[in-house]
């Protein structure tokens, strides 16, 4: 997004930092979407879901479990759709030039987000795709917050309270991408901990911390960003802008690691 040169330096740094993070996140998220399409697309089109177990899942394809398999595949494919749709909602040109498309894409995003969340609850609590009590709690809290902020974003849009709609929609966008943040976080944690001889497993403290951080940290950063937008202190805007540039670099690094070590090897 172009930043007017007339803006003071702190405001330009803040705006460009937000844009840099969004671009980095979109590249990483669309790499994730590409993986979902490539990994799930072939088996679904072939009508043979057994190859999906080539990538370890808590509970992947189970012969004879028609409902569970449909939920599993539908959840994954719809997760790709909601990730793709969500990024477009944050593009200013889309809102300005094609407001009708923005509204309909927003309806798709919020509706699919709710469906993905509900199927996620089914997979965890009914099908038993569980990694442990702490992880289950993190996933469930993340899902509940998706439902809350998706509904609030919808309600505020209908009420034409666009300031509140923006805040709720951004929260919903970050929460929906919790599964992507989890993978990026695991990769970044691995890059730091592996040289120390510390492995990440589903029951260990590092994974549990990353699991909660995957949605709590983005929400905390967004809260800081909202406060910074209202701040009159130049130092605050400069610090937040610098933080967003750092997060953009970390996002690119985590995404590259996920592509190299998590997604590409199983395609």
């Amino acid at each position: 997004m172009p930043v007017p040169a007339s803006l003071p330096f702190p405001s330009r740094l803040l705006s460009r930092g937000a844009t840099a993070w969004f671009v980095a996140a979109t590249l990483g998220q669309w790499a994730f979407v590409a993986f979902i399409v490539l990994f799930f697309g072939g088996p679904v089109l072939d009508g043979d879901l057994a190859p999906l177990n080539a990538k370890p899942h808590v509970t992947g394809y189970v012969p004879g479990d028609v409902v569970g398999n449909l939920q599993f595949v539908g959840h994954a494919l719809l997760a790709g759709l909601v990730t793709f749709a969500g990024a477009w909602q944050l593009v200013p040109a889309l809102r300005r030039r094609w407001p009708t498309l923005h509204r309909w894409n927003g309806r798709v995003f919020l509706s699919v987000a709710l469906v993905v969340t509900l199927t996620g609850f089914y997979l965890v609590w009914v099908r038993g795709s569980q990694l442990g009590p702490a992880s289950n709690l993190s996933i469930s809290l993340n899902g509940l917050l998706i439902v809350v902020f998706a509904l609030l974003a919808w309600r505020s849009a209908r009420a034409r309270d666009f300031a509140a709609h923006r805040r709720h929609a951004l929260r919903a966008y970050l929460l929906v991408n919790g599964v992507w943040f989890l993978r990026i976080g695991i990769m970044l944690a691995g890059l730091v901990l592996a040289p120390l001889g510390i492995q990440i497993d589903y029951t260990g403290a590092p994974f549990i911390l990353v699991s909660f951080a995957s949605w709590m940290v983005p929400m905390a950063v967004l809260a800081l960003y909202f406060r910074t937008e209202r701040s009159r202190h130049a130092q605050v805007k400069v610090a937040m802008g610098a933080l967003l540039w750092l997060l953009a670099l970390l996002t690119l690094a985590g995404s590259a690691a996920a592509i190299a070590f998590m997604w590409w090897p199983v395609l």
Side-chain angles (χ1 to χ4, degrees), residues 150-239:
L151 293 176
L152 286 174
W154 199 314
R155 188 178 71 174
S156 56
R158 288 178 60 85
R160 304 187 69 78
D161 184 353
F162 297 122
H165 172 70
R166 172 177 177 264
R167 294 193 299 272
H168 296 320
L170 284 171
R171 293 177 182 123
Y173 163 79
L174 293 178
L175 290 164
V176 164
N177 281 287
V179 293
W180 174 75
F181 281 118
L182 176 60
R183 286 152 177 79
I184 300 305
I186 290 173
M187 290 294 102
L188 291 175
L191 292 174
V192 173
L193 297 177
L196 303 176
I198 302 175
Q199 293 186 342
I200 298 178
D201 59 66
Y202 291 140
T203 59
F207 178 80
I208 293 172
L209 289 174
V210 171
S211 180
F212 279 93
S214 66
W215 55 272
M216 294 179 71
V217 169
M219 292 292 280
V221 172
L222 181 63
L224 286 174
Y225 180 76
F226 287 153
R227 290 178 66 88
T228 302
E229 283 185 318
R230 300 191 300 270
S231 176
R232 298 181 180 179
H233 300 289
Q235 301 92 327
V236 174
K237 294 183 183 293
V238 169

Side-chain angles (χ1 to χ4, degrees), residues 84-98:
F84 185 80
W88 285 108
Q89 287 302 98
L90 304 188
V91 177
L94 183 71
R95 298 195 299 271
R96 289 195 305 267
R97 299 178 185 178
W98 299 288

